[in-house]
Amino acid sequence: QTQLVESGGGLVQPGGSLRLSCAASGFSLGYYDISWLRQAPGKERERVSCISSSGGSTFYADSVKGRFTISRDNAKKTVYLQMNSLKPEDTAVYYCHVAIRNAIWTRHYWGQGTQVTVSS
């Protein structure tokens, strides 16, 4: 069964750091790009970061560039998002996402999300 489970969120003061993890099961993680997305009340869903299947290529939204770092360990079937210099604007539920496709369909999977709250 395809499953993604996010963890590592919590309450942190501005300027602090958190490391989010996304654990995958039910598919071969090493074949797929993985994204982190976030959703905050009153804001549009934002694609925060993405990493290619091999880890050789990454993407960051302008809002987090220079502060967040995405990485992956395919052997552990886990993707990470290191978040530094956190701002209140980073407060959101963070989800990891994968699109799995064959010749006919593309299916999108995401986890339950993990809450990140940045507040003094």
Side-chain angles (χ1 to χ4, degrees):
Q1 182 177 351
T2 299
Q3 186 176 14
L4 299 172
V5 179
E6 300 94 338
S7 63
L11 175 64
V12 64
Q13 293 185 342
S17 298
L18 287 172
R19 188 195 193 200
L20 306 184
S21 297
C22 173
S25 62
F27 66 100
S28 298
L29 182 67
Y31 288 103
Y32 301 100
D33 299 348
I34 301 293
S35 295
W36 284 96
L37 298 85
R38 66 186 181 186
Q39 180 70 63
K43 297 182 179 179
E44 295 184 349
R45 183 179 295 107
E46 181 181 23
R47 186 189 188 199
V48 173
S49 186
C50 182
I51 187 166
S52 62
S53 58
S54 68
S57 181
T58 58
F59 160 85
Y60 298 96
D62 289 341
S63 57
V64 306
K65 193 172 298 182
R67 300 186 297 117
F68 290 11
T69 303
I70 191 170
S71 62
R72 67 191 297 160
D73 186 336
N74 289 335
K76 294 183 178 180
K77 303 189 74 173
T78 303
V79 178
Y80 305 96
L81 185 68
Q82 178 67 46
M83 306 186 297
N84 298 325
S85 302
L86 284 163
K87 304 175 180 179
E89 307 91 86
D90 296 318
T91 297
V93 179
Y94 285 71
Y95 302 88
C96 58
H97 166 269
V98 63
I100 299 177
R101 62 176 175 172
N102 56 29
I104 306 300
W105 301 286
T106 298
R107 294 188 175 184
H108 298 265
Y109 298 90
W110 57 91
Q112 83 289 347
T114 185
Q115 176 71 50
V116 172
T117 302
V118 184
S119 177
S120 59

